[in-house]
Amino acid sequence: MATPIPSFPLTDVKKISILGKESIHCGFHLVPYIVHTVLTELPASTYVLISDSNIAKFYLSSFENEFNSVLSGLANGSHVRPRFLSHLIAPGETSKSREGKAAVEDFLLLHKCTRDTVILALGGGVVGDLVGFVAATFMRGVRFCQIPTSLLAMVDSSVGGKTAIDTPHGKNLIGAFWQPEFIFIDAAMLETLPSREFSNGMAEVVKTAAIWDETEFGSLESRSAEIFAAIQTPSVNHAGRSETTRSQAQELLLSVIVGSISVKAHIVTIDPTEKGLRNLVNFGHSIGHAIEAVLTPTILHGECVSIGIILEAELSRQMGILSQVSVGRLTRCLKAFNLPVSLVDPRIANLPSAKLITTERILDIMKIDKKNHGTDKKIVLLSRIGATHEQQASVVPDTLISKVLSDSVTVIPGIPSFVSMTTPGSKSISNRALVLAALGTGTCRLRNLLHSDDTQVMMAALSELKGAKFEWEDSGETLVVYGGKGSFVVPPKGKELYLSNAGTAARFLTTVCTLVQKSPTDEAEATVITGNARMKQRPIGPLVTALRANGSDIDYLESEGCLPLSIRPNGLKGGNIQLSASVSSQYVSSVLLCAPYAHEPITLELVGDQVISQPYIDMTIAMMEAFGIKVTRRTDKTTGKLLDVYDIPTGGYQNPSNYAIESDASSATYPLAIAAITGSSCTIQNIGSASLQGDARFAQGVLERMGCKVTQTATETTVHGPPIGQLKAVEEIDMEVMTDAFLTATVLAAVANGKTRIVGIANQRVKECNRIRAMIDELAKFGVETQEFDDGLEIFGKPINALKGANIHCYDDHRVAMAFSVLASLIPNTILEEKRCVEKTWPNWWDDLQNKIGLEVKGVELSSPSVSVSSTQVKSKSVVLIGMRGTGKTFIGDLAASALHWTCIDADVHFEKVHQTSVRQYVHENGWPAFREAETKLLKDLLTQNGHNHVLSLGGGIVETATARQLLKDWTSKGGCVVHVVRNLEEVIEYLGVEGSRPAYGEPITEVFKRRDPWFAECSSHRFINHVAAFADGKIVIDPTDTKRGVREEVARFFDQITGVSPNFPPSLSAGRRSYFLSLTYPDVTLALPQMEELSAGADALEVRVDLLRSNNDVNPVERHIPAESYVADQIAALRRVTSLPLIFTVRTVSEGGAFPDNAHKEAQRLLNLALSLGVEYIDVEMQLPEKIIQQLNARKGSSRIIASWHDWSGRLKWDTSDAQAMYDIAARHGDIIKMVFTAGSMQDNFDCQAFAARMNNRPGAKPFIAINMGAAGQLSRVLNTTFSPISHPLQPTRAAPGQMSFAQVQKALHLIGELPAKKFYLFGTPIDHSLSPTLHNSAFEMLGLPHTYILLETSDVNEDIKKTIASPDFGGASVTIPHKLNIIPLLDELTPAAKVMGAVNTIVPVARGSTRILVGDNTDWLGIRGSIASRIAVGHIHGALVMGAGGTSRAAIYALNDLGAKVIYLWNRTRGRAEELKASNPDINIQVVDKLGHWPSGITPPNVIVSTIPASETSLEDEADRLFYPPSLYSYREGPAIVLDLAYKPVETPLLKLAKMTAPNWDTAQGVEILLQQGYAQFEKWTARRCPQGPVARQVWKAYYSPT
Ligand SMILES: NC(=O)c1ccc[n+]([C@@H]2O[C@H](COP(=O)([O-])OP(=O)(O)OC[C@H]3O[C@@H](n4cnc5c(N)ncnc54)[C@H](O)[C@@H]3O)[C@@H](O)[C@H]2O)c1
Ligand SMILES: [Zn+2]
């Protein structure tokens, strides 16, 4: 550089070496230093600073100013002056993407940055990772510097050279190792960092110390409050830039950061590319990352890692590698930095996405961890604080991981062998021992100390007061206390003793602080103790009053009677102290413990009401004696009664070298009880007869009386249980002195022989829960009876094998959980829910149960995720029909079999065949029981021999025997369908009146019906309602529009659907075309039936809003309503007669915008199950329903589909949030289709909605997704949504949701925005001016709101006009008629099979093939013929057909008839030769050429279908010359439905049709126009992929037909 860089202010930095270079520089207020260093060390033509807009707000201008002032001072020498550029990105993880990278690169390219550019990444990990990756690849790599601004970035992401971006497939999947030239850490920048982000970084700091440096960890553990304070107090005037201006807090902060970075830098240097050692920094990350994958971005990386740290530590504890002490220290340390330590933390548990965290999911995500070894998962295991189990991650089996992750556990029953153990230390004794040893002289090793918040806080405060020194030994099992002999100093000014919410510590320390003496070096005038908000409300008044009266100078700093307190260092005077002990015995213990250090001996007099908790006072006195001070309690000389007056001598405690803290006696009851119940033995090592704790009497007071052998020394208790099953009930046990142990006694009493009465435990109603109630309720689940009374309860013991395992709810009460785990050691399948509740007193209880007691404990996941794949349905499994006689089983079975192409077996007919006698006769000869038995056996045989591809129609009485019912239930449980055919009873009675072939009922039919109906329901999986009439409110209403066709179509649809053979789903959905459903908002859908075609025009499905249904019987059709199941079933059946569109069954709750009560989960579930049994195609399942219900529906759904839905009316939910993402993920897990409906506030919401949907739909394997906004502002989203857009119709009384539009409106909108270009359609041929096709198509276009037109193009030959037309881009398709049906073929690219066979084209369809458009020739004539026939006669029921004529149309007729399964086709033509030709060209079809009409060979069934293509004018009913004569014998078929089609258009009634009407009542007729219509509908559908609204279109066409031209 030409000119030297000007100087800059004095700056002290700590330098850390990484990869052999001191490139990490840490300090405060570094901007000038950074600019100077960069310009000197990294000469370049361009410096580009990249940051995010959050950070730029605070720091960009100082960089800009500094750079500009330095650069402008440089003389313009021979070199061009370097440039300084800056570029900002949006804050947040989403910037770390391919798009984000491209944007930065484009900026660099736009500004012509070259290889010698230096990039400065100023920001958090997002900026660092993104910019680092850009630097790695821009111009094949340019130099860059990290200037991390978040704590996470400082201690973690900036160090090590890892750079990356995210993709939708996962985080950090694309990146590079690229080392920065410098890392500048300016800790002053943390002052602007939000405190949650600071905590986020602290997770990494704690992690690093945990794996590497116990001392460092110790300081994090005890100095959390100071560390926080360092970033919360702004440093003015660049304080801290030089060491002389640096505060203590800044020093601490810097040392924490430097310490953490040094470890990482060291590890990176040894293992730069993460081969082994570097894996250690992944402690907490294996599980943490998996959690993060689900919760990101709502929950931050460090927060997930914090939870991961604890789970991974628990894993090592479970494996016996790490002690609970260390787990406890980790937990408390992370908590102190405000980090969550478990998934039940409300910050996490309350998120919608928390639902997605399941063991299975976490394990699944963990599979793709880079550390893994093949399929083995590797996790860093801690062996103690500061050290790992191996110098690398260790292999851990999935079973262990899932045990740690599971929220519940089960115990595998077993018999422990001889158990000898200690249980966790008593909390009260631990706290006292700490104070005593700290005050005492000499070194004391405390063993079995309970690690709790109290002890933690107490130790930190005692260290702060310089009253003692603490050290951990044996990886934290032993605490070494170097006693301070009662000397303390006032903490430095501004330093408060923060006691969090630790009550015992606050009480004990208040007196301890009065012991502090003045010293000349004191900075502060008083000691201040404070706590959190809750602590500031807890009472301390009586103690302060007593101490003040004794001369101590104590002030309340906030509210009277509570912390914080300011205590002057005057020492404790001593003498007489009066204290009220009715609130807490801890005040008494506090004074007692400190009393020996007063100036004068103390006489403590307890005044006021009753002294509470005397045992705790006795405990304190006993422990003081162990430390060498004897307290005397005065007695009344006259009565000898003990007085509440204590004399304490002055002196000092003499520390015993070892002090074993007694185990918690309540905890000890559990292992002892396990010995008692399993007939084994157990020794608890440090609780004996000398114990200070009441619950220590449990062994003798309870277990001995129940028949155990108990031996107790002063310090040990051993219990031998009687043989299993021989525990004795105890008539009455008073447990007042050991109330906490009553739960343990209660579970033992449950298996004792007789009744046990436990008294003296009334206070247990107000513990963590109402424990008496809890025990009663949970024991009831095992089948154990109890009786509650004021003072306790009675338990009626039961033999062990009479108890059945149960899921135990633990009420978040550790004692409930541990007590029931005693029972679980004997009773299989007992599941203890909420396993974490034991943490309060025995965090590693489950591990100890397994590792020390020897009973296997397994993790259980209660809410296992449901998978939305179809259940175990086997498509070919036979269908069984059951139901009352006369419901139409045979009729329906027949139709079903023909629809499925299966075989129908009628069990009665089959019975007669097998037994060679009629059912009636068989019953007559052998009686009913024998018949039922034979019938059941036959059912069994049928199911085994005809288990596939059959429809089995059973007799009505089959459900009378239990065996048969079981057979049917088994069938459904194996995925088979049992269909209950239901028909109105009155109809059945009427029908049976005329039918007598089967045995009569010996009792009134209504009685039989009543008895069997529940059985039918219980044995069936589905219900088919044979609706001959609609039932409205129980009355039969014959619907004139009802035709047999409706029933037939419905039978086919129903069975195709429920068997899964050919489910009724709209093709548009699978083809990815736009699809719509019409929301029906009628209270009674029968009102809509006559208009159904018009209403549903354009719709691919119909939604039945079940919550809106109201029958006339619903006297009070108010807002919230639950419609009756029978009414709903009838409504569905009624709809089914007029439409075969798929139905969506929706029970919308009030909170999601419907009318169904919000909390009626069970009722909603029942209705949704009803829908599944009715074979409804889609059910809408609100995701706010309980998980269990959603799972049940998924398991039961068969081939129906679940629309998993969320509706937000509040307008609060936005598409670009993690909530939306979480909701999507939940819905995707449970549903086949995802539906999310939010409320739009602005147009932007629609774009966000679109963007979100696009992002989700691009995911691999994405499910169909309905994403829309409600409200007028949301209408655009309805237009743009592609899957199942809800629509309304102007004919409907109300819309289902605000902003809903009609199909036609949506199409018009699509057209206007360019999504639906207008097309032209044509008719080619001549003469065509009378054609009805323009009327047909144009009215259909109009009804659907489509922008297309249909035009005549009359030409006598296939000319240039036609060629030009079909080549035009707006050509939508054409109909082709005479004379072009053949000539057109050469212009087309492809023919459909039908067109090929018929050798003629009547329809041209343009089809997109990739990017090109091809023209396909089709023939829909046959479809018209087929449609007319199929709407009257079921497929497979055409015995024979007659076709008259042998031209092109006859070809189409033959093609259609063959497709419909006609067994034989008779062909007549005036010239036989042409008929023979036609026959010859269809060699695979059974065609018989006939010469004479109406003469059928004898012995065969005459045809039931006739199709004529002869012009009507050439035919006659008289025997005239030149005219074809139709004899009445054409219509000889009389056995069932039959149809005659005359393809001639005019006249309306041709001779052929007239003859049928006159002579053949069973023959239906179809006119030419009808067939024209049918083929036109087919054409329309091929062109638009939309159903043609047939009825309304037909009305228009008929009108045109009759109108004079
Ligand atoms: N490369 C690695 O080795 C590595 C390691 C760990 C994490 N990471 C990555 O780091 C990213 C997370 O980093 P992060 O936590 O720093 O997130 P971040 O960059 O998003 O920063 C967090 C938030 O704090 C703001 N912020 C940062 N510093 C600030 C300051 N001084 N004052 C005010 N606001 C400030 C940011 O604008 C942002 O809103 C993730 O993408 C993660 O994958 C990378
Ligand atoms: Zn991390």
Side-chain angles (χ1 to χ4, degrees), residues 152 156-157 204 207 264 281-283 285 289 292 301-302 305:
L152 181 109
D156 193 6
S157 61
E204 302 285 359
K207 170 210 74 183
K264 183 151 185 200
V281 301
N282 279 317
F283 173 54
H285 281 62
H289 264 154
E292 189 182 2
H301 173 73
V305 166

Side-chain angles (χ1 to χ4, degrees), residues 1242-1261:
S1242 68
M1243 189 50 73
Q1244 184 59 39
D1245 289 334
N1246 297 322
F1247 301 135
D1248 291 347
C1249 172
Q1250 268 302 100
F1252 181 81
R1255 212 158 11 94
M1256 295 307 113
N1257 293 338
N1258 274 337
R1259 288 181 167 190

Side-chain angles (χ1 to χ4, degrees), residues 38 84 191 474 699 712 836 990 1329 1392:
V38 167
F84 172 75
E191 291 167 19
D474 326 327
Q712 211 167 32
R836 290 198 171 270
E990 197 181 322
D1329 54 343
T1392 60

Side-chain angles (χ1 to χ4, degrees), residues 23 59 176 250 299 437 554 581 584 592 641 690 837 853 891 905 954 996 1312 1317 1336 1370 1383 1468 1473 1520 1545:
S23 57
Y59 306 108
Q250 283 181 320
I299 301 299
I554 305 176
S584 168
L592 288 172
K641 233 179 82 188
C837 65
I853 300 176
F891 170 66
I905 296 180
L954 306 185
L1312 290 175
L1336 190 158
D1370 67 356
N1383 302 346
W1468 178 90
E1520 301 173 52
Y1545 295 158

Side-chain angles (χ1 to χ4, degrees), residues 52 54-55 58-59 91-93 96 123-127 129 149-150 152-153 156-157 159 162-163 171-172 189-190 192-194 197 200 204 264 301:
D52 80 29
N54 276 347
I55 298 153
F58 299 110
Y59 306 108
E93 187 75 27
K96 238 183 87 174
V126 165
V127 173
D129 275 14
T149 60
S150 70
L152 181 109
D156 193 6
S157 61
V159 183
K162 287 209 277 179
T163 72
K171 270 182 58 114
N172 297 334
M189 289 183 177
L190 295 175
T192 56
L193 184 70
E197 294 289 347
N200 182 42
E204 302 285 359
K264 183 151 185 200
H301 173 73

